[in-house]
Amino acid sequence: MSQITLYWEKFAKSLKNDSSRLPELAGSFHFGGKEDATSISKLVISGTKKATASLLWVYEEENSPIPQIGEYNVITDSDGNPVCIIQTTHISVIPFNEVDHKFAFDCGEGDQTLKSWREMYQEYIQSECERIGRIPTSEIPLVCEYFKVVFTESL
């Protein structure tokens, strides 16, 4: 049994709900590149990072649904170990050039300014667009997601 499955089962047991009404696990992932995943996961656990953005075009290219309000994901560190579970609380699709200071601050990385957020996400957008064969624009649609940490116990 994988560590993700064990972690999810530990979370489910902590809920004290009727077992027929347990939430479903949407998936697991790490924030940022693998080398940054541990440091970013600490920002998530501390509550500094409570938002993230991804490219709508990637979901379309991969024929995957965008995150949904209420879904749960296991967040992992650089070694793939589960560190917490988040629940999506808000989703909006916003052009890159319309992201505001509050969202940049809530993403929690760097100095939390809109300027540093744009610089950081510009690199991410460039690499993802190269991967899917699209040309980035300042209006590229971002899936902007807010989440809350719902579980942080260790295995």
Side-chain angles (χ1 to χ4, degrees):
M1 188 174 293
S2 76
Q3 282 194 326
I4 301 300
T5 302
L6 289 170
Y7 198 71
W8 179 252
E9 287 179 356
K10 186 172 182 177
F11 167 64
K13 286 178 187 171
S14 76
L15 294 177
K16 300 180 176 53
N17 282 348
D18 173 5
S19 61
S20 66
R21 302 181 67 202
L22 290 176
E24 185 176 319
L25 175 62
S28 66
F29 63 90
H30 59 79
F31 287 106
K34 187 174 178 173
E35 64 283 351
D36 300 322
T38 296
S39 61
I40 298 173
S41 70
K42 290 177 183 176
L43 296 173
V44 171
I45 291 168
S46 73
T48 303
K49 181 173 182 62
K50 50 188 166 259
T52 194
S54 48
L55 273 65
L56 179 62
W57 292 351
V58 171
Y59 293 103
E60 293 170 348
E61 178 70 24
E62 296 174 352
N63 201 25
S64 300
I66 66 170
Q68 299 295 307
I69 293 172
E71 77 178 21
Y72 294 87
N73 283 282
V74 174
I75 303 305
T76 60
D77 64 15
S78 297
D79 296 321
N81 300 312
V83 296
C84 68
I85 296 175
I86 61 170
Q87 182 180 28
T88 302
T89 60
H90 181 79
I91 293 286
S92 56
V93 178
I94 302 171
F96 175 78
N97 62 352
E98 292 181 25
V99 169
D100 62 16
H101 292 277
K102 181 182 181 333
F103 186 80
F105 181 84
D106 291 341
C107 282
E109 296 169 63
D111 64 6
Q112 294 181 275
T113 63
L114 183 57
K115 181 179 185 262
S116 71
W117 181 89
R118 283 192 173 145
E119 289 170 0
M120 193 171 28
Y121 270 78
Q122 192 65 46
E123 290 177 32
Y124 161 72
I125 288 168
Q126 185 67 39
S127 68
E128 285 294 275
C129 283
E130 285 174 13
R131 186 175 68 81
I132 63 171
R134 300 282 299 259
I135 297 171
T137 69
S138 62
E139 295 87 25
I140 191 167
L142 298 180
V143 177
C144 296
E145 175 182 0
Y146 274 90
F147 55 84
K148 64 181 178 180
V149 176
V150 296
F151 189 73
T152 58
E153 291 181 27
S154 60
L155 272 177

